[in-house]
Amino acid sequence: MALGSNTKFYETPNHPYQGERIAEESGLLGKYGLKNKEELWRAQSELRNYRREARDLLGQTQGDTEAATVEADEFLTRLQRIGILGEQDALDEVLSLDITDVLERRLQTIVYRKGLANTTQQARQFISHGHITVDGSRVKTPSMKVDVAAEDTVSFDSASPLTDELHPERAEEQ
């Protein structure tokens, strides 16, 4: 594939006008502060790829190949590192994951959950305006997946005016 070629990293719904699906998508957009449905469809495609890989690995491990077991362990470790799976979860539990499991690991959601922003939309704005750092590095991508190890390092940039506790846009302490 050549550089710059137009390739979507998500799949759109098969039927564009399904009231129940549209209502569910709108609820997720509001809850997680997503910019548009494309971001939701990207997360759904990511989840679909995880499930597909888990099905393939489950099929390979039925044949008891040692290489498939090593590959499955690497896959589980990757999902545990980004926090989609827990430490004790097994490969077949990937198939029962929900879209919210993927959306909860976005930087935008983590900034909101840590109380650095009043709303998910405000968290998105803080990130895109460069007020948030992860592990000491400024990040401007709200959709970035945050590793569990790096979750505690999410904070305001030291050069940001939002580091002042009295800034009017800062989240009220609960």
Side-chain angles (χ1 to χ4, degrees), residues 17-71:
Y17 303 110
Q18 294 171 319
E20 188 176 313
R21 178 190 51 79
I22 291 171
E24 182 182 327
E25 286 177 346
S26 296
L28 287 172
L29 258 62
K31 180 179 179 184
Y32 290 100
L34 305 177
K35 182 174 72 172
N36 52 34
K37 289 191 179 177
E38 178 184 325
E39 288 192 331
L40 179 64
W41 295 336
R42 282 179 192 258
Q44 287 172 338
S45 293
E46 182 180 341
L47 178 62
R48 197 174 303 117
N49 290 338
Y50 291 152
R51 289 181 178 159
R52 183 178 301 123
E53 189 170 348
R55 279 194 306 270
D56 292 346
L57 290 171
L58 280 170
Q60 291 173 10
T61 54
Q62 298 302 322
D64 266 351
T65 61
E66 203 170 301
T69 308
V70 170
E71 202 174 324

Side-chain angles (χ1 to χ4, degrees), residues 124-139:
R124 178 181 196 89
Q125 183 182 28
F126 286 171
I127 295 164
S128 61
H129 289 201
H131 294 292
I132 302 294
T133 60
V134 177
D135 207 15
S137 299
R138 184 180 291 173
V139 179

Side-chain angles (χ1 to χ4, degrees), residues 50 53-59 61 68 72-73 75-76 79 85 89-96:
Y50 291 152
E53 189 170 348
R55 279 194 306 270
D56 292 346
L57 290 171
L58 280 170
T61 54
D73 288 342
F75 175 63
L76 285 174
L79 291 181
L85 282 182
D89 290 344
L91 190 59
D92 57 344
E93 295 180 36
V94 174
L95 302 176
S96 63

Side-chain angles (χ1 to χ4, degrees), residues 87-120:
E87 292 295 322
Q88 305 301 324
D89 290 344
L91 190 59
D92 57 344
E93 295 180 36
V94 174
L95 302 176
S96 63
L97 289 175
D98 190 36
I99 186 65
T100 58
D101 296 320
V102 175
L103 293 174
E104 284 290 333
R105 297 310 306 163
R106 289 168 49 98
L107 176 60
Q108 177 178 354
T109 307
I110 290 173
V111 167
Y112 171 68
R113 298 268 187 256
K114 283 190 73 167
L116 299 176
N118 293 321
T119 63
T120 52

Side-chain angles (χ1 to χ4, degrees), residues 158-172:
S158 60
S160 170
L162 293 170
T163 55
D164 181 13
E165 294 284 333
L166 300 175
H167 194 282
E169 291 300 315
R170 283 289 296 266
E172 277 82 37

